[in-house]
């Protein structure tokens, strides 16, 4: 896969990504990767400025999860709007098309129910802080490939 | 009440000044000697904001008897001491959370001398920071509290929850089938854009105009490995 100088592995797996704008607000394109959250597949927007894995009401429903199950309650701001929800740890997997997959446990924001209208189809965000911070990644824009590997 | 005594007993750097209306304030109090308009010797206490706090950039002079007798300057003492009340940081933080004032919240947090705070204060403040949406402060305090009180279960749990992400497993097998859904989304984007779809290994299982309509079409989709997503 990819190596640092000295032969230290940088990335151990690679997956293909999508590169599309997210309606209704985006006019520029986003990097979207497929992840497994507690084994449920989902498409997440790679957002290097965001913290945590920020679930949508839909994936929360699919996971049969609730912010009531969360360890702590919080407020998070997304594109200027405040959303209430809970924080918890869930297992997330990056599944490689080639190479090795990995599982990690980020901090996850789980929105409270009854915010669907205000949520306005915001996507699932996968951020750096408390989420991808232990994973090296690199992009190949030509091949739309997302390379990743755990930081030992 | 003797204003001098009140000030001497004040260990805090954060307090409320009810002048002309309640203003949460972080700063220092400095003693200034001088004379009042009656040429009586007084001690002036100057309240100074901590640097870079433009919104609280006020100076208030507190007057007090140097002998400790408020009666000697009853009018002066009473006027100022009744206008000034001192509150603890927790009440101020709650006010900041309730008024959604992150800037004020941060100001108070920065003014607190954390090395002297008990574990309950850490825990309560972390929770208030989360409710204020101030995740960075919550994480910093969770780390500091976890380091300082490693045997306190609740503090440790908060520290772990808000701590760094953890790698759980590496070396898991690849699955080339996972890429088939991405390929389908690329190839069918124009046709299905704006709809919700359920995919399995690159095969369309169902589509609908909304998530809830799609779920109705699928018989209990949980645990079946279906990718359920809007087409972006």
């Amino acid at each position: 896969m990819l190596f640092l100088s000295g032969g230290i592995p940088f990335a151990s797996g690679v997956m293909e990504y999508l590169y599309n704008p997210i309606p209704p607000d985006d006019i520029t394109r986003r990097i979207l990767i497929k992840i497994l959250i507690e084994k449920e597949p989902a498409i997440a927007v790679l957002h290097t400025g965001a913290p945590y894995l920020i679930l949508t009401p839909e994936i929360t429903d699919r996971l049969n999860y609730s912010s009531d199950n969360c360890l702590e309650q919080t407020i998070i701001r997304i594109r200027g709007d405040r959303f209430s929800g809970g924080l918890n740890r869930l297992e997330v997997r990056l599944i490689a098309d080639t190479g090795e997959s990995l599982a990690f446990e980020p901090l996850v924001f789980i929105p409270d129910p009854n915010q669907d209208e205000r949520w306005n189809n915001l996507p699932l965000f996968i951020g750096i802080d408390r989420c991808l911070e232990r994973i090296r990644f690199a992009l190949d824009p030509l091949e739309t490939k997302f390379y990743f590997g755990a930081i030992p | 009440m003797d204003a001098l005594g009140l000030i001497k007993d004040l260990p805090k750097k954060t307090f409320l000044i009810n002048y002309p209306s309640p203003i949460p304030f972080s700063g220092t109090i400095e003693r200034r000697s001088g004379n009042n308009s009656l040429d009586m010797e007084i001690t002036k206490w100057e309240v100074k904001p901590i640097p870079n706090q433009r919104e609280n950039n006020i100076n208030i002079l507190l007057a007090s008897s140097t002998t400790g007798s408020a009666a000697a300057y009853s009018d002066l003492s009473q006027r100022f001491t009744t206008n000034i009340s001192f509150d603890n940081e927790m009440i101020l933080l709650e006010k900041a959370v309730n008024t959604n004032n992150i800037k004020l919240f941060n100001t108070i947090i920065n003014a607190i001398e954390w090395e002297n705070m008990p574990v309950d204060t850490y825990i309560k403040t972390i929770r208030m920071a989360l409710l204020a949406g101030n995740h960075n402060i919550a994480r910093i305090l969770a780390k500091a509290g976890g380091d300082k009180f490693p045997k306190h279960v609740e503090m440790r749990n908060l520290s772990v929850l808000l701590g760094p992400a953890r790698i759980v497993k590496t070396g898991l097998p690849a699955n080339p089938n996972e890429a088939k859904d991405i390929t389908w989304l690329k190839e069918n984007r124009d046709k299905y854009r704006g709809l919700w779809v359920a995919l399995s290994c690159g095969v369309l299982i169902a589509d609908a105009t909304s998530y809830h309509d799609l779920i109705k079409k699928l018989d209990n989709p949980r645990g079946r490995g279906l990718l359920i997503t809007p087409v972006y």
Side-chain angles (χ1 to χ4, degrees):
Chain A
M1 210 53 62
L2 301 179
F3 294 90
L4 296 167
S5 61
I8 300 165
F10 177 90
S12 54
V14 60
M15 68 167 79
E16 194 161 349
Y17 67 81
L18 293 166
Y19 190 46
N20 296 331
I22 306 295
D25 296 331
D26 279 355
I27 52 173
T28 54
R29 295 193 284 177
R30 306 275 184 169
I31 292 161
L32 301 115
I33 59 175
K34 185 180 175 185
I35 59 175
L36 300 185
I37 308 168
E38 299 283 315
K39 299 182 181 173
E40 287 288 340
I43 296 289
V45 173
L46 178 64
H47 193 325
T48 55
Y52 315 148
L53 178 70
I54 299 173
L55 300 190
T56 61
E58 290 84 8
I59 187 70
T60 304
D61 174 65
R62 274 171 53 209
L63 291 167
N64 201 17
Y65 219 83
S66 161
S67 55
D68 292 341
N69 307 126
C70 288
L71 301 173
E72 297 295 334
Q73 301 302 305
T74 190
I75 292 290
I76 204 161
R77 289 174 177 78
I78 307 173
R79 296 182 176 176
D81 279 330
R82 286 162 51 89
F83 296 96
S84 61
L87 294 174
N88 212 337
R89 297 273 180 169
L90 299 178
E91 186 182 292
V92 175
R93 291 191 179 205
L94 300 178
I95 305 297
D97 307 335
T98 308
E100 295 178 349
S101 306
L102 65 82
F104 65 109
E105 212 176 62
L107 189 52
V108 180
F109 175 79
I110 297 156
D112 284 338
N114 305 321
Q115 298 180 107
D116 294 25
E117 277 190 26
R118 285 200 307 120
W119 197 267
N120 195 25
N121 293 321
L122 285 169
L124 195 156
F125 291 105
I126 186 165
I128 302 289
D129 197 7
R130 298 302 187 254
C131 187
L132 290 173
E133 62 191 354
R134 300 297 301 167
I135 294 169
R136 291 192 177 105
F137 59 87
L139 300 171
D140 178 353
L142 189 65
E143 302 290 336
T144 59
K145 298 283 189 186
F146 177 82
Y147 290 81
F148 59 89
I151 297 174
Chain B
M1 180 181 291
D2 188 329
L4 182 61
L6 184 61
I7 293 166
K8 273 184 175 175
D9 290 341
L10 182 77
K12 314 287 186 185
K13 285 186 178 177
T14 307
F15 36 88
L16 267 186
I17 298 173
N18 289 323
Y19 181 84
S21 58
I23 305 168
F25 191 91
S26 296
T28 58
I29 299 175
E30 291 182 11
R31 186 175 179 147
R32 295 274 186 274
S33 294
N35 296 341
N36 67 5
S37 58
L38 301 176
D39 203 29
M40 293 176 174
E41 186 183 357
I42 61 168
T43 300
K44 293 177 179 176
W45 299 88
E46 189 171 3
V47 182
K48 289 185 172 179
I50 60 175
N52 303 321
Q53 281 187 272
R54 288 183 194 170
E55 70 277 14
N56 286 338
N57 192 14
I58 55 173
N59 283 311
I60 294 176
L61 294 181
L62 305 178
S64 166
S65 160
T66 52
T67 63
S69 167
Y73 313 103
S74 57
D75 176 57
L76 199 59
S77 314
Q78 192 175 9
R79 184 151 45 94
F80 284 95
T81 54
T82 52
N83 275 338
I84 299 169
S85 67
F86 301 96
D87 211 340
N88 68 42
E89 290 91 345
M90 290 299 107
I91 294 172
L92 292 179
L93 286 172
E94 284 173 11
K95 287 177 192 291
V97 171
N98 292 337
T99 55
N100 189 28
N101 190 337
I102 283 227
K103 193 180 281 187
L104 172 61
F105 188 89
N106 291 347
T107 299
I108 298 166
I109 290 283
N110 290 333
I112 294 175
E113 294 174 4
W114 285 100
E115 59 273 20
N116 300 323
M117 289 295 159
V119 65
D120 290 349
T121 301
Y122 275 86
I123 292 169
K124 191 174 180 185
T125 308
I126 290 164
R127 294 200 165 121
M128 280 195 285
L130 290 173
L131 290 177
N134 196 329
H135 296 256
N136 195 43
I137 290 285
R139 290 194 294 266
I140 291 169
L141 288 178
K143 169 77 168 64
D147 290 346
K148 190 175 178 187
F149 306 101
K151 292 181 180 173
H152 192 281
V153 174
E154 194 176 5
M155 183 68 250
R156 192 174 63 230
N157 289 345
L158 262 175
S159 182
V160 170
L161 174 71
L162 300 177
R166 294 184 289 273
I167 301 294
V168 179
K169 290 173 193 163
T170 57
L172 296 168
N175 183 358
N177 284 333
E178 296 288 344
K180 292 179 180 175
D181 290 340
I182 297 294
T183 302
W184 187 95
L185 288 166
K186 284 182 176 176
E187 292 175 349
N188 294 279
R189 178 171 179 249
D190 289 341
K191 186 177 177 184
Y192 289 91
R193 187 162 32 185
L195 298 178
W196 279 80
V197 295
L199 304 174
S200 177
C201 294
V203 176
L204 178 67
I205 306 299
D207 66 273
T209 54
S210 73
Y211 168 76
H212 293 292
D213 287 345
L214 181 63
I215 293 300
K216 284 177 191 167
K217 288 185 177 181
L218 300 166
D219 184 24
N220 191 15
R222 291 188 187 111
R224 291 167 53 190
L226 296 176
L227 173 62
I228 295 174
T229 181
V231 179
Y232 295 119

